[in-house]
Amino acid sequence: MIRATTLALAASGLALLSSAGHSRDAEPSDALAALRARPPEQDVIYFVLPDRFENGDPANDRGGYAGDRLATGFDPADKGFYHGGDLAGLTSRLDYIQGLGATAIWVGPVFRNKPVQGASGQESAGYHGYWITDFTTVDPHLGTEAEFAAFVNAAHARGMKVYMDIIINHTADVITYADGDESGYAYRSKAAYPFSTRGAARGTPINPGFAGDHDRAPANWAKLTDPGFAYAPRVPESERAAKTPKWLNDPIYYHNRGDTDWTGESAQYGDFIGLDDLATEHPRVVEGMIEIYGAWIERYGIDGFRIDTARHVNAEFWQAFVPAMEERARQAGIPNFHIFGEVATERYDPALLASWTHAAQFPAVLDFGLMYAVIHALSAGGGQAELARMPMDDTLYAGGASAANRLPTFLGNHDAGRIAMLLEKANPGISREELLARVKLAHALLLSLRGVPTIYAGDEQGFVGTGGDKEARQDMFASQVTAFNTQDLLGSDATSAEANFDTTHPLYRVISQLAQLRARTPALQSGATRLRAASETAPGLFALSRFDPRDSHEIVMVFNTSGQALEAMVAVDPNSVQFREVAGHGCATKSIAAGSLPITLAPFGFALCEALR
């Protein structure tokens, strides 16, 4: 039944795109024209891993492969294997996503992956999409190219954008090394293992005349012919032609220096736990990746890229790639193509995030800073010092504070874990009732502060989990994973053993209400921010104003991060006298004196108070 529904939903969008992709000859519909004109800061993003969302076509569960789970990658009872979700299922649930208030969908990687990899007894599958072998087509576990086009069509017909999750740093693990097993393929540096010798600095000379990878001239790279400068790369006979495009099968286009230790030079040159790390300094790699991803823009008319592991690629690559993608998008009639890179951090570090908008010239990066600031503010004994700093720190980004409006913001994700789990660990012994209140408040902050709010699929259904990575990738459709099904959901008596698309769930409702408010309130999309009050060393009042970019009237936003009710006076513009409450509870309707607004907030309460013009 889901399959039939999917086709019906897609039909309305087929006038926008051909079954093979974007039709540049067709006149855009009103919905598509409005979507193209909408800047990124006006959106709310919903992030979904398609394998874990909805199974629209059980016939593709095994991806067309024969054999057991180690051949097909399909084992719905194992959290590290394919579960059956696909593009047909995602398309069938667009009503649900749109009802949440999302106006853009960031879809996890859809490219063909190596079905299974890993040492014997430690195998897992490419259900997440980050082990690519073919960069030019859709993974058969997720569906077909026509079904991807149908998904884009149906989303566009509703005025919803589609952002593709893309990978450039690495491919699936295909290349092996003839040596290094005794060291676990530890990273070998450029100093100890230069390009000019085989195996070590005192090894046999190779690659005569190669000036180093800082020289980007094609003539220089033509002199790099032997990839055995660190490890001796080998490709198993059965995988000699495993990758598409064909040039990706040549080890000369990879770093071949062993596994990263995540620090220093190895963070850019090392393999991610065996994944083949591309030499993104090589002009052929630059040219090839521009062609690969430019073709996806032209074929499907997508609206942006989220770029995985962006900080592990050299800045010079992005300086060429980003403007090339923006130009391809402009030529395809997509003037607001949104590119945002993953520059993962482990703490509040806006200087690091902002540096990539300068050195690499990224238009935006995922805002890990906001995630850590919210978690700290809602942790036991935590204060709001980082939240209070954000308006000033936003000036660090290329383009300043206005550019920060385009940073996708989030509370948790498929790597770090879900916000409910992170807050549960930050507040030992917390009750479920209090945890729900804190998670609601976290979403109120996310959907009110600057940036492009991004909801991780399942957070709106009270998924908690026990950690990051596999522990945070629960199924939205009925799961067969015992570890998932024995976990209590937040705000619901349901379990993950049944489908969870409940539009009455308390988190779904609060997110939907705030997302719809944001969509009709310019101050919450692109308004300037002014800090009004903060409890920097302990829980308490956090208050700020955002100003309508059209006429400068303000919305005062107040949040109580403590478990006690509070009353306070909050500074406002002296010209703001009458107010109306547009979300939450606790606003007065009138300033008590010029420049002073009384507020009353429940424990973990919030209120958005709009000054009347």
Side-chain angles (χ1 to χ4, degrees):
M1 193 66 178
I2 287 175
R3 180 71 168 183
T5 304
T6 299
L7 295 175
L9 284 170
S12 64
L14 290 177
L16 308 182
L17 302 174
S18 71
S19 62
H22 183 52
S23 174
R24 287 191 283 175
D25 296 328
E27 285 296 321
S29 69
D30 290 344
L32 185 58
L35 175 154
R36 297 293 194 223
R38 192 170 70 231
E41 59 267 31
Q42 294 182 6
D43 286 310
V44 172
I45 302 171
Y46 189 72
F47 168 46
V48 57
L49 291 176
D51 177 66
R52 300 301 166 88
F53 193 67
E54 178 63 284
N55 191 344
D57 184 8
N60 63 29
D61 287 356
R62 290 170 175 79
Y65 298 96
D68 65 10
R69 73 183 201 136
L70 296 184
T72 69
F74 179 67
D75 183 352
D78 189 316
K79 60 191 173 186
F81 280 71
Y82 285 96
H83 289 177
D86 51 33
L87 292 164
L90 177 57
T91 306
S92 75
R93 293 289 186 179
L94 288 177
D95 273 345
Y96 170 86
I97 298 172
Q98 192 166 35
L100 186 65
T103 59
I105 301 172
W106 156 15
V107 60
V110 300
F111 316 100
R112 182 188 286 268
N113 269 231
K114 189 172 184 177
V116 177
Q117 62 183 45
S120 179
Q122 301 175 31
E123 301 94 344
S124 61
Y127 69 92
H128 41 67
Y130 296 104
W131 298 344
I132 303 174
T133 54
D134 187 343
F135 286 78
T136 68
T137 194
V138 172
D139 190 285
H141 291 90
L142 304 181
T144 65
E145 292 185 34
E147 286 173 318
F148 183 68
F151 160 63
V152 176
N153 296 346
H156 282 174
R158 295 164 176 267
M160 301 174 73
K161 298 178 182 178
V162 175
Y163 297 151
M164 291 185 72
D165 199 327
I166 69 170
I167 302 94
I168 284 167
N169 177 67
H170 57 264
T171 72
D173 184 10
V174 171
I175 297 173
T176 63
Y177 299 133
D179 55 336
D181 181 64
E182 71 285 349
S183 69
Y185 308 106
Y187 183 75
R188 291 180 173 176
S189 71
K190 291 198 292 182
Y193 295 83
F195 293 107
S196 56
T197 57
R198 178 177 290 111
R202 293 185 173 86
T204 305
I206 59 173
N207 301 317
F210 181 63
D213 63 1
H214 64 282
D215 183 343
R216 290 179 280 171
N220 177 53
W221 285 90
K223 298 172 184 176
L224 184 72
T225 59
D226 189 332
F229 37 80
Y231 286 98
R234 297 287 184 269
V235 178
E237 187 65 34
S238 62
E239 295 188 286
R240 289 282 174 88
K243 298 177 185 178
T244 302
K246 290 181 180 180
W247 62 267
L248 287 166
N249 292 300
D250 190 338
I252 201 67
Y253 299 124
Y254 297 83
H255 285 133
N256 304 311
R257 292 189 173 275
D259 285 347
T260 181
D261 60 17
W262 313 107
T263 61
E265 177 187 294
S266 84
Q268 181 178 312
Y269 287 84
D271 296 343
F272 272 41
I273 318 174
L275 296 171
D276 300 347
D277 199 68
L278 277 159
T280 47
E281 304 81 11
H282 200 301
R284 180 67 182 92
V285 176
V286 178
E287 172 194 331
M289 286 296 169
I290 287 173
E291 182 52 40
I292 285 168
Y293 289 117
W296 283 91
I297 296 171
E298 292 168 354
R299 287 162 63 196
Y300 298 102
I302 55 168
D303 307 288
F305 288 147
R306 178 267 189 183
I307 301 179
D308 180 67
T309 53
R311 70 176 292 186
H312 301 289
V313 173
N314 57 306
E316 294 82 0
F317 176 91
W318 301 124
Q319 291 168 11
F321 181 84
V322 169
M325 293 302 97
E326 291 176 330
E327 179 56 28
R328 295 285 277 269
R330 279 192 292 270
Q331 292 176 4
I334 311 168
N336 285 302
F337 195 80
H338 194 28
I339 297 176
F340 49 101
E342 180 199 27
V343 179
T345 68
E346 296 182 352
R347 63 185 187 280
Y348 181 81
D349 193 350
L352 174 62
L353 295 174
S355 71
W356 284 82
T357 69
H358 292 276
Q361 298 174 12
F362 270 117
V365 293
L366 284 164
D367 190 4
F368 281 81
L370 183 133
M371 178 182 78
Y372 290 116
V374 170
I375 291 169
H376 185 240
L378 292 174
S379 297
Q384 302 151 15
E386 294 162 343
L387 284 175
R389 277 182 51 187
M390 283 183 61
M392 291 184 293
D393 288 339
D394 283 349
T395 62
L396 295 171
Y397 292 95
S402 62
N405 288 328
R406 298 192 168 197
L407 304 180
T409 52
F410 61 99
L411 299 173
N413 60 27
H414 58 316
D415 292 326
R418 297 184 179 278
I419 183 60
M421 179 276 296
L422 294 166
L423 290 181
E424 187 173 45
K425 289 189 173 182
N427 294 277
I430 191 174
S431 69
R432 301 296 278 189
E433 181 182 14
E434 182 179 327
L435 180 59
L436 179 60
R438 288 180 184 266
V439 171
K440 284 183 179 179
L441 182 57
H443 281 95
L445 286 160
L446 175 71
L447 287 151
S448 303
L449 300 179
R450 66 96 182 106
V452 186
T454 303
I455 310 297
Y456 176 34
D459 282 0
E460 78 281 6
Q461 293 295 323
F463 288 5
V464 181
T466 58
D469 197 72
K470 296 177 185 178
E471 309 302 329
R473 299 173 182 178
Q474 298 90 338
D475 303 304
M476 294 284 285
F477 60 105
S479 180
Q480 298 179 43
V481 178
T482 301
F484 292 161
N485 294 344
T486 54
Q487 297 169 11
D488 291 333
L489 303 188
L490 190 62
S492 172
D493 293 329
T495 73
S496 59
E498 55 194 293
N500 284 277
F501 296 97
D502 180 9
T503 58
T504 68
H505 191 287
L507 286 170
Y508 185 99
R509 291 202 313 268
V510 73
I511 292 170
S512 178
Q513 291 164 1
L514 288 169
Q516 291 178 45
L517 173 65
R518 187 182 185 96
R520 61 178 183 267
T521 309
L524 300 181
Q525 300 166 3
S526 56
T529 298
R530 182 176 301 164
L531 181 67
R532 296 301 193 183
S535 303
E536 296 196 7
T537 59
L541 175 65
F542 177 61
L544 43 78
S545 291
R546 298 194 69 186
F547 297 87
D548 191 302
R550 301 166 303 178
D551 62 13
S552 297
H553 83 276
E554 71 182 306
I555 295 183
V556 182
M557 310 188 300
V558 291
F559 307 89
N560 181 7
T561 65
S562 76
Q564 292 78 43
L566 64 81
E567 296 182 4
M569 304 300 296
V570 174
V572 296
D573 189 285
N575 294 316
S576 299
V577 178
Q578 301 287 339
F579 288 85
R580 66 185 182 103
E581 192 169 76
V582 293
H585 301 286
C587 300
T589 58
K590 188 176 182 179
S591 60
I592 198 169
S596 184
L597 179 70
I599 56 100
T600 303
L601 294 175
F604 309 113
F606 71 94
L608 273 62
C609 320
E610 182 174 20
L612 299 180
R613 284 164 276 190

